[in-house]
């Protein structure tokens, strides 16, 4: 018999352990529980190293608190005991690091926006916490067949959210394309959280020149703050600059001032 390995991730210990116990009663399910995002990431990495990868992750939608948007994917090397990893970030991190693992988000209530964020982050399903065990098992087995599961009542709202997100992404991409190669590199440094001095040192520019580039970036993107520029950049799919040794910049960018 092929067994399904499931990891329940919920910071409400009683719920996590109760759900794990219910799933463990199934003859074809092996289940474990983790109480936080970092603990889940460590469990996933350890299981992969031992050759017994998890198949499905059940993630609390409210893990680590509310989520305003998709955050950067996280890896096990980036987290510690004292760092909170919210549910959507965990989904994105798992999708990035172990794409074979299917993730299903467990939610207290239906929320089209957050369900859309979860799908964008790589989740294969969104299920109410108060659903029946048989329904949850149907979803677990379904996502392993590459199915996507959403409550019927959420479909219209989620499609509306995804359509709006696609429209915003297209507009954001158009604005980013208006930047020069150097301005795009500065924007990537901003996405990485670097301040003006750090950007200047990294790109071998004067702080005054970096300030000018940053002002040009904000102007071309039509925003008034670094935070707004970073949010727009993420919508456009712009990632952070590689924070390896300074000076390792692409030839195109390093040739322009």
């Amino acid at each position: 018999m092929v067994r399904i390995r499931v990891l329940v991730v919920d910071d409400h210990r009683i719920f996590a352990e109760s759900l794990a116990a219910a799933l463990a009663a199934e003859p074809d399910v092996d289940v474990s529980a983790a109480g936080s995002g970092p603990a889940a990431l460590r469990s996933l990495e350890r299981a992969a190293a031992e050759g017994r990868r998890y198949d499905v992750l059940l993630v609390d939608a409210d893990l680590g608190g509310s989520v305003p948007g998709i955050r950067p994917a996280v890896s096990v090397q980036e987290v510690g005991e004292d760092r909170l990893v919210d549910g959507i970030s965990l989904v994105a991190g798992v999708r990035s690091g172990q794409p074979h693992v299917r993730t299903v988000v467990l939610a207290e209530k239906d929320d089209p926006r957050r369900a859309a964020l979860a799908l964008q982050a790589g989740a294969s399903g969104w299920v109410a916490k108060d659903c029946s065990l048989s329904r949850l098992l149907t979803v677990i087995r379904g996502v392993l067949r590459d199915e996507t599961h959403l409550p019927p009542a959420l479909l219209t709202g989620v499609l509306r959210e995804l359509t709006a997100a696609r429209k915003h992404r297209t507009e954001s991409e158009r604005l980013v394309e208006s930047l020069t190669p150097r301005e795009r590199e500065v924007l990537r440094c901003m996405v990485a959280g670097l301040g003006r001095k750090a950007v200047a040192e990294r790109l071998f520019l004067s702080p005054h020149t970096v300030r000018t580039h940053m002002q040009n970036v904000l102007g071309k993107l039509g925003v008034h703050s670094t935070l707004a520029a970073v949010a727009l950049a993420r919508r456009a799919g712009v990632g952070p600059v590689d924070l390896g040794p300074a000076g390792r910049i692409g030839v195109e960018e390093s040739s322009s001032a």
Side-chain angles (χ1 to χ4, degrees):
M1 177 187 297
V2 177
R3 301 182 68 82
I4 303 170
R5 300 205 69 229
V6 177
L7 180 62
V8 179
V9 189
D10 197 302
D11 44 17
H12 292 84
R13 184 172 177 178
I14 293 177
F15 175 83
E17 292 181 351
S18 298
L19 179 56
L23 291 171
E26 295 296 312
D28 62 339
V29 176
D30 285 330
V31 61
S32 300
S36 69
L41 289 167
R42 287 192 296 273
S43 294
L44 286 167
E45 186 171 80
R46 185 167 55 249
E50 295 172 355
R52 48 184 188 89
R53 295 176 182 271
Y54 284 100
D55 301 301
V56 178
L57 215 65
L58 302 180
V59 181
D60 176 22
D62 296 317
L63 187 73
S66 59
V67 185
I70 297 179
R71 302 179 186 179
V74 290
S75 70
V76 104
Q77 291 78 15
E78 297 173 313
V79 300
E81 290 290 347
D82 59 346
R83 173 173 172 179
L84 287 176
V85 177
D86 64 72
I88 304 300
S89 291
L90 180 59
V91 169
V94 172
R95 178 68 173 177
S96 174
Q98 297 195 30
H100 66 281
V101 178
R102 300 293 182 261
T103 55
V104 175
V105 177
L106 305 177
E108 292 279 0
K109 60 182 180 179
D110 287 345
D111 185 330
R113 179 175 176 273
R114 293 183 69 193
L117 286 172
L119 293 180
Q120 288 177 296
S124 297
W126 175 281
V127 181
K129 278 190 171 182
D130 60 359
C131 75
S132 67
L133 182 61
S134 62
R135 166 62 181 162
L136 182 57
L137 287 167
T138 295
V139 172
I140 289 172
R141 295 185 172 108
V143 298
L144 289 175
R145 297 191 295 269
D146 291 327
E147 298 172 0
T148 299
H149 284 258
L150 286 171
L154 271 183
L155 275 177
T156 300
V158 168
L159 288 174
R160 186 183 301 117
E161 291 287 341
L162 292 175
T163 299
R166 190 175 299 113
K167 179 180 178 181
H168 291 154
R169 180 182 177 92
T170 301
E171 175 64 13
S172 299
E173 288 173 341
R174 184 186 67 76
L175 291 172
V176 169
E177 287 173 358
S178 71
L179 303 178
T180 65
R182 173 61 83 194
E183 289 166 350
R184 285 197 293 272
E185 189 67 25
V186 169
L187 178 60
R188 292 182 63 214
C189 289
M190 294 163 68
V191 173
L194 300 181
R196 188 188 309 166
K197 182 178 179 181
V199 175
E201 291 175 351
R202 181 170 190 84
L203 302 184
F204 303 106
L205 300 173
S206 71
H208 176 75
T209 299
V210 170
R211 180 185 179 189
T212 299
H213 282 314
M214 286 183 166
Q215 290 175 336
N216 290 340
V217 168
L218 297 184
K220 289 183 179 181
L221 297 184
V223 297
H224 302 287
S225 70
T226 297
L227 286 177
V230 169
L232 186 150
R234 287 177 174 167
R235 284 199 301 272
V238 176
V241 70
D242 178 14
L243 293 180
R248 292 186 179 178
I249 307 166
V251 173
E252 177 186 31
E253 287 81 7
S254 61
S255 65
S256 60

